[in-house]
Amino acid sequence: PFALAILDIAHGIGLLAVDRMGIRTLCYANPHGKMVFGPTTDSVLAHPEVTRELSDQGIFNYLYCHTVPSPGTVYKAVQKLLPGECVIFRNGRIERKSYWRLEYADETAPGTALEERFHSLLRESVARAVNGDRAGAFLSGGTDSSTVTGILSEIRGRPVDTYSIGFAADGFDEMDYARITARHFGARAHEYYVTPQDVVDAIPLIAQHYDEPFGNDSAVPTYYCARLAREDGIEVMLAGDGGDEIFGGNVRYAKQKIFEYYGLIPQAVRRGLIEPLVFSMPAADKLPPLRKVKSYIRQANVPLPDRLETYNFLHRQPLAEIFEADFLARVDAQGPLRQMREVYRSTLSDSAINRMLHLDLKQTLADNDLRKVSRMCDAAGVEVRYPLIDEALVEFSGQLPASLKVKGLKLRYFFKQALRDFLPPQTIAKSKHGFGVPFGVWMKEYKPLRELTLSSLEALQHRGYIKPSYVRQVLHAHQTGHATYFGKMIWVMTMLERWLAARDL
């Protein structure tokens, strides 16, 4: 991991670059033909010639993506580097270019040699990440964190410290899986259960510590987990982030494969027979099986990567019903999708699976997950390292064909097969689960959290971004419908207001 600046001041030439995976961050501005740079937007804005004017597009992108995807920022004058990207400054002008992209292989002969190479790379990457420091490991009980815990235990040859977070809410707690892994590898397990008051306390910390609005609510448990480790004197935490994005572990990869199957049917059959037949049936909307078939066909006809955003909140209804007209007129509503398409199509592979993986490396991992963990560890006073996205391991993953990453509808097929005798059976069989907070449920039940949220949304309604009617609509749906689902958008809007207020913007 690195953020690099090389300056030839005598000749007015500069080079900025960040590591291949975007573990480190670098921002820059180009005021009056000068180059101003730093690790965060806040550091760049400290220069007196860089304006603090907010970007309407950045605000829109945040509400669409729940983070502000690179290369843009929430400020008009400031840009971010993408993973594997550099910026060249010469004669007062800025030129961006990619210096590295992961190469994907379409065909690789399977065999035990691949598994042996994989095991070797895992041990080497974890050993490099530890580097003799007193280290602990995040342990959610999922495949990645369990793998890191097991390899660390193997390298150290003694019990290692693991840190896990739980929630006293139905459907959210996965502490049992963390305990299974801890027992399996003989780890010293440390646990903490996040409370609704912890969420109230964390909201201002998150708003202050991120240099841009950040809407991933799992920043809350990440912070408390890192803080627990710091209180134990741990200097370095190992995180398992990145395994899903290089070995095919996200549920959407298998789901999109199902939709892609529809495209294998000859177009003449689809357009001339199946669709006219299904959509002409008068009772199709009343019969659940036929209704599902219609929904499947509609989604299958949306090309990737656009289909990935089918369930985005901003696609549930017309944007004119969500945003104030003046604000909407100032933004490019297709901007986030256009950026996704560009990254998706630039993948060095024809495989839809590899293209989704590449997209997730650039956006889901770099702009969301790594920022979440790195910033919250920083807030807790702990350094974090990511052994699963060690360069050698990432390049190895690129040489695995997509058919070994997602085999049929089996996620992480090669990864799990290679570790079938190493990880606990329950971990291998475990289905993918998020690390979200029961915010929507707790907002209903815990008065201080509800009051904080409602006051934040009341203030947000006066900023000219979102229509008050939309805020009321989401709050009503949260109270009368699916609290967890609508709680996501409430959290995203709340954190936007808290971030703006924390900076007097």
Side-chain angles (χ1 to χ4, degrees):
F2 66 84
L4 168 71
I6 301 176
L7 308 176
D8 180 349
I9 297 175
H11 296 90
I13 300 173
L15 170 73
L16 307 178
V18 292
D19 60 82
R20 296 177 175 186
M21 306 306 293
I23 296 172
R24 297 286 181 261
T25 58
L26 203 53
C27 304
Y28 69 92
N30 188 211
H32 313 297
K34 301 175 183 178
M35 183 170 71
V36 181
F37 62 92
T40 64
T41 60
D42 291 337
S43 61
V44 175
L45 290 168
H47 193 285
E49 293 188 38
V50 180
T51 62
R52 298 181 74 223
E53 184 180 359
L54 288 170
S55 164
D56 287 325
Q57 189 66 48
I59 296 291
F60 179 84
N61 291 352
Y62 164 77
L63 291 167
Y64 190 99
C65 303
H66 305 174
T67 184
V68 185
S70 303
T73 75
V74 75
Y75 298 103
K76 283 187 175 181
V78 185
Q79 296 281 293
K80 296 193 293 281
L81 271 71
L82 286 160
E85 189 177 49
C86 64
V87 160
I88 299 168
F89 175 81
R90 184 185 290 110
N91 299 324
R93 302 175 69 87
I94 294 286
E95 177 191 357
R96 304 175 67 109
K97 60 187 296 186
S98 293
Y99 68 82
W100 177 85
R101 282 188 297 167
L102 180 59
E103 294 184 2
Y104 293 94
D106 291 332
E107 296 295 336
T108 300
T112 56
L114 276 180
E115 293 187 7
E116 292 171 2
R117 175 66 176 149
F118 174 60
H119 280 261
S120 176
L121 288 172
L122 272 177
R123 288 191 292 272
E124 291 169 9
S125 64
V126 173
R128 271 193 291 271
V130 176
N131 196 29
D133 295 307
R134 184 184 176 191
F138 286 102
L139 179 59
S140 67
T143 309
D144 289 329
S145 63
S146 297
T147 299
V148 171
T149 295
I151 297 295
L152 180 60
S153 301
E154 186 179 84
I155 290 171
R156 286 285 166 89
R158 62 178 185 273
V160 300
D161 293 288
T162 61
Y163 295 85
S164 306
I165 290 294
F167 302 100
D170 291 341
F172 288 87
D173 188 47
E174 291 207 302
M175 191 68 84
D176 285 345
Y177 285 102
R179 290 167 181 160
I180 287 169
T181 295
R183 286 196 298 268
H184 185 77
F185 293 114
R188 289 188 297 269
H190 306 266
E191 302 176 355
Y192 183 80
Y193 271 78
V194 173
T195 68
Q197 184 58 44
D198 286 332
V199 179
V200 173
D201 295 340
I203 285 175
L205 180 142
I206 293 170
Q208 188 62 52
H209 213 79
Y210 283 91
D211 62 331
E212 297 184 272
F214 190 73
N216 186 336
D217 62 3
S218 60
V220 175
T222 302
Y223 169 71
Y224 285 106
C225 199
R227 194 179 75 170
L228 181 65
R230 181 59 185 158
E231 289 170 352
D232 280 349
I234 295 294
E235 300 169 343
V236 172
M237 286 288 281
L238 301 190
D241 297 81
D244 286 333
E245 289 77 17
I246 63 174
F247 288 108
N250 288 319
V251 174
R252 58 183 169 273
Y253 304 146
K255 183 176 181 179
Q256 295 307 319
K257 224 178 172 184
I258 295 174
F259 288 121
E260 289 293 289
Y261 290 149
Y262 185 68
L264 299 177
I265 302 173
Q267 184 174 352
V269 177
R270 285 184 281 125
R271 298 284 192 265
L273 178 62
I274 297 176
E275 293 173 17
L277 179 63
V278 171
F279 287 102
S280 65
M281 291 183 179
D285 290 327
K286 297 179 181 179
L287 299 174
L290 286 177
R291 194 163 59 240
K292 287 184 178 180
V293 170
K294 286 178 69 174
S295 175
Y296 169 80
I297 292 173
R298 287 194 185 99
Q299 290 186 69
N301 280 328
V302 177
L304 286 171
D306 298 32
R307 196 191 307 134
L308 295 168
E309 297 300 315
T310 302
Y311 295 101
N312 191 304
F313 275 97
L314 300 194
H315 289 300
R316 289 181 59 87
Q317 62 196 84
L319 294 179
E321 297 178 6
I322 300 174
F323 297 103
E324 296 287 7
D326 289 346
F327 173 74
L328 194 56
R330 298 193 301 267
V331 303
D332 176 6
Q334 291 295 310
L337 271 178
R338 189 176 298 109
Q339 189 172 321
M340 288 177 61
R341 293 169 191 153
E342 181 180 341
V343 175
Y344 182 83
R345 291 166 185 164
S346 69
T347 310
L348 299 177
S349 172
D350 293 328
S351 160
I353 293 294
N354 283 336
R355 289 186 172 198
M356 286 188 284
L357 291 171
H358 182 246
L359 177 62
D360 280 344
L361 280 183
K362 297 291 186 181
Q363 293 191 340
T364 304
L365 184 63
D367 282 327
N368 196 325
D369 293 341
L370 297 185
R371 288 179 67 194
K372 173 193 72 181
V373 180
S374 295
R375 296 289 166 85
M376 289 298 92
C377 284
D378 182 59
V382 177
E383 183 181 353
V384 61
R385 297 172 188 163
Y386 305 96
L388 293 188
I389 48 175
D390 180 273
E391 287 185 3
L393 199 54
V394 171
E395 290 191 333
F396 171 83
S397 76
Q399 298 309 300
L400 289 174
S403 60
L404 285 183
K405 295 168 187 169
V406 183
K407 187 177 179 64
L409 300 180
K410 295 179 181 178
L411 299 170
R412 302 180 72 124
Y413 177 78
F414 171 82
F415 192 101
K416 289 184 175 182
Q417 280 293 109
L419 296 175
R420 60 191 178 278
D421 297 325
F422 181 71
L423 294 174
Q426 299 93 326
T427 304
I428 295 290
K430 179 180 179 293
S431 59
K432 177 69 176 175
H433 193 281
F435 198 33
V437 177
F439 168 76
V441 176
W442 285 348
M443 182 189 159
K444 272 188 170 183
E445 300 172 349
Y446 191 62
K447 185 178 179 181
L449 183 57
R450 184 167 62 254
E451 290 177 345
L452 175 62
T453 302
L454 294 178
S455 65
S456 299
L457 295 183
E458 174 64 27
L460 182 64
Q461 293 178 55
H462 300 290
R463 291 190 179 272
Y465 302 135
I466 301 174
K467 286 188 171 183
S469 58
Y470 178 72
V471 176
R472 292 193 298 269
Q473 175 189 322
V474 174
L475 287 171
H476 177 74
H478 168 260
Q479 289 296 311
T480 60
H482 197 302
T484 298
Y485 176 77
F486 290 101
K488 292 291 184 184
M489 192 58 180
I490 292 174
W491 175 270
V492 167
M493 294 190 293
T494 297
M495 295 313 298
L496 174 60
E497 172 57 33
R498 300 301 299 187
W499 184 86
L500 291 167
R503 283 159 177 73
D504 296 321
L505 295 169

